[in-house]
């Protein structure tokens, strides 16, 4: 029986109670399959990850990119479509949001059939969809949730409405294991009306205070020669990773990172280690990015398979230098 997800949205508006690696000799730089995992498979299945995201026909971002990343990292991907889009490698031109009831029904059909080891949430185009997903996930509090708060909503350069951002912060952030915003997204989600220029640390602290266990702030949108990614928790900074900035522009880099974090959590890694492995995978996918169309470069999420094939053919590329990343 379809769930009344419009009721969940109405409750959001009216009921405040409802809104309540550094390379080493034995581990060279670069991600290599297979993954060592502590996952306890059910009847021999790989770890299962359910992702909520808009469809991207180009395969550069969105649902298709999540599925490719998760499969590349040894997981079985389940997918719930939140929107259909018209887009290519240059960007999106139009978006059609799926009815919230359909989003919830897609998820519940899968969850009643298969045990899930992690959730990943991408761009969400409406308050109704945010509320519907929040209601579904509230039944699975012990499953890790990775939130990639893309503010474009999967649409053509149109940021989410204030209402959708508030719903995201009030309904999903308290259920989130780790959020992966860039600095711009973080300030928009966690900023207050009286803020002039809130610091990244203050904004990350606000999300943690709101119930998000960890916040990985990526430095991709900062004007710097290197990218500095910082993981925050209840005690402040947990780890910082510095990466060489690669030429782009790239489509789907942030979604690749968040999907990789979900994959590593599903594989049984502790969170800080999952973040480290996911960054390593993403950086190498970007290092091997390709440009199949007239727009942006797409991460090569199967770079490791091509590296192994080249190695068998005697064409192995030298490993990137150790100064590609610094961690502490």
């Amino acid at each position: 029986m379809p769930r009344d997800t419009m009721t969940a949205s109405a409750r959001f508006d009216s009921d405040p109670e409802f809104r309540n690696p550094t390379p080493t000799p034995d581990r060279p730089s670069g991600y290599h399959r297979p993954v060592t995992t502590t996952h306890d498979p059910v009847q021999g299945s790989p770890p299962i990850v359910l992702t909520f995201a808009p469809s991207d026909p180009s395969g550069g971002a969105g649902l298709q990119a999540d599925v490719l990343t998760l499969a590349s990292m040894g997981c079985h991907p389940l997918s719930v479509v939140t929107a259909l889009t018209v887009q290519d490698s240059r960007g999106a031109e139009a978006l059609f949001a799926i009815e919230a009831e359909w989003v919830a029904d897609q998820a519940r059909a899968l969850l009643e059939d298969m045990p899930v080891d992690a959730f990943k949430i991408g761009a969400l185009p409406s308050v109704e969809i945010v509320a519907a997903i929040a209601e579904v996930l509230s039944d699975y509090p012990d499953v890790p949730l990775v939130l990639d708060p893309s503010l474009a909503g999967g649409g053509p350069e149109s940021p989410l409405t204030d209402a959708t951002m508030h719903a995201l912060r009030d309904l999903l952030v308290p259920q989130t294991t780790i959020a992966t915003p860039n600095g711009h997204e973080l300030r928009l989600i966690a900023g207050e009306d009286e803020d002039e220029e809130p610091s990244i640390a203050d904004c990350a602290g606000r999300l943690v205070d709101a119930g998000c266990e960890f916040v990985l702030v990526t430095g991709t949108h900062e004007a710097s020669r290197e990218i500095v990614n910082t993981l925050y928790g209840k005690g402040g900074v947990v780890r910082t990773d510095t990466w060489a900035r690669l030429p782009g522009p790239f489509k789907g880099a942030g979604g690749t990172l968040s999907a990789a974090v979900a994959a590593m959590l599903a594989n049984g890694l502790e969170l800080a280690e999952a973040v480290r492995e996911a960054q390593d995978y993403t950086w190498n996918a970007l290092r091997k990015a390709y440009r199949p169309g007239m727009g942006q470069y797409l991460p090569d999420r199967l770079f490791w398979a091509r590296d192994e094939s080249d190695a068998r053919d005697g064409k192995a590329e030298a490993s990137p230098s150790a100064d590609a990343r610094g961690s502490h």
Side-chain angles (χ1 to χ4, degrees):
M1 182 70 67
R3 300 176 65 86
D4 185 4
T5 54
M6 294 301 291
T7 300
S9 176
R11 286 178 64 194
F12 169 75
D13 293 328
S14 61
D15 184 0
E17 292 299 318
F18 184 61
R19 292 182 292 177
N20 281 317
T22 302
T24 61
D26 62 333
R27 183 184 181 281
S29 177
Y31 181 86
H32 299 279
R33 295 282 300 130
V35 175
T36 300
T37 174
T38 60
H39 170 76
D40 184 17
V42 176
Q43 297 181 347
S45 75
I48 299 174
V49 179
L50 173 56
T51 179
F52 298 81
S55 172
D56 177 357
S58 77
L63 204 64
Q64 289 84 341
D66 286 350
V67 167
L68 187 54
T69 299
L70 294 168
S72 175
M73 301 191 79
C75 295
H76 177 77
L78 306 179
S79 57
V80 169
V81 183
T82 61
L84 303 178
T85 65
V86 177
Q87 62 179 305
D88 56 20
S89 64
R90 291 169 293 190
E93 298 178 8
L95 175 144
F96 176 80
I98 303 298
E99 289 186 15
E101 183 176 339
W102 277 73
V103 171
D105 286 349
Q106 289 178 77
R108 292 203 181 277
L110 294 169
L111 290 166
E112 290 169 5
D113 180 44
M114 288 177 270
V116 169
D117 297 286
F119 295 111
K120 189 259 178 175
I121 295 177
L124 302 178
S126 71
V127 171
E128 290 79 12
I129 289 176
V130 172
I133 293 174
E135 184 175 350
V136 169
L137 297 189
S138 67
D139 291 336
Y140 303 88
D142 297 327
V143 178
L145 168 58
V146 180
L147 175 62
D148 179 13
S150 174
L151 297 182
E157 302 301 325
S158 56
L160 298 183
T161 64
D162 287 345
T164 306
M165 281 193 289
H166 289 151
L168 195 74
R169 181 168 57 192
D170 293 343
L171 298 180
L172 285 176
V173 165
Q175 301 187 56
T176 296
T177 306
I178 178 171
T180 61
N182 60 45
H184 175 64
E185 292 166 340
L186 177 64
R187 286 190 173 101
L188 286 177
I189 293 172
E192 305 289 350
D193 292 339
E194 62 273 13
D195 288 337
E196 291 186 4
E197 186 67 23
S199 72
I200 293 294
D202 286 345
C203 289
R206 290 172 185 172
L207 290 192
V208 171
D209 290 342
C212 185
E213 294 181 39
F214 295 90
V215 181
L216 175 62
V217 185
T218 63
T220 54
H221 283 59
E222 303 298 326
S224 59
R225 294 183 60 185
E226 296 179 316
I227 293 176
V228 179
N229 299 334
T230 305
L231 178 65
Y232 294 89
K234 288 183 172 61
V237 175
V238 176
R239 66 176 294 123
T240 299
D241 296 279
T242 302
W243 298 85
R245 186 178 292 276
L246 298 168
F250 302 107
K251 185 178 188 184
T256 300
L257 175 61
S258 56
V261 172
M264 290 293 91
L265 291 175
N267 271 291
L269 273 66
E270 295 296 326
L271 191 133
E273 180 70 6
V275 166
R276 182 178 75 87
E277 290 291 332
Q279 290 180 83
D280 188 63
Y281 170 87
T282 302
W283 191 85
N284 279 283
L286 296 178
R287 182 171 65 92
K288 293 296 187 75
Y290 53 92
R291 189 172 182 240
M294 295 183 289
Q296 303 171 83
Y297 286 82
L298 308 187
D300 185 357
R301 299 168 178 101
L302 293 174
F303 68 87
W304 58 267
R306 285 180 247 285
D307 285 349
E308 290 177 0
S309 176
D310 288 345
R312 287 193 299 270
D313 295 339
K315 298 182 291 185
E317 178 182 329
S319 295
S321 60
D323 61 0
R325 178 183 65 186
S327 305
H328 60 275

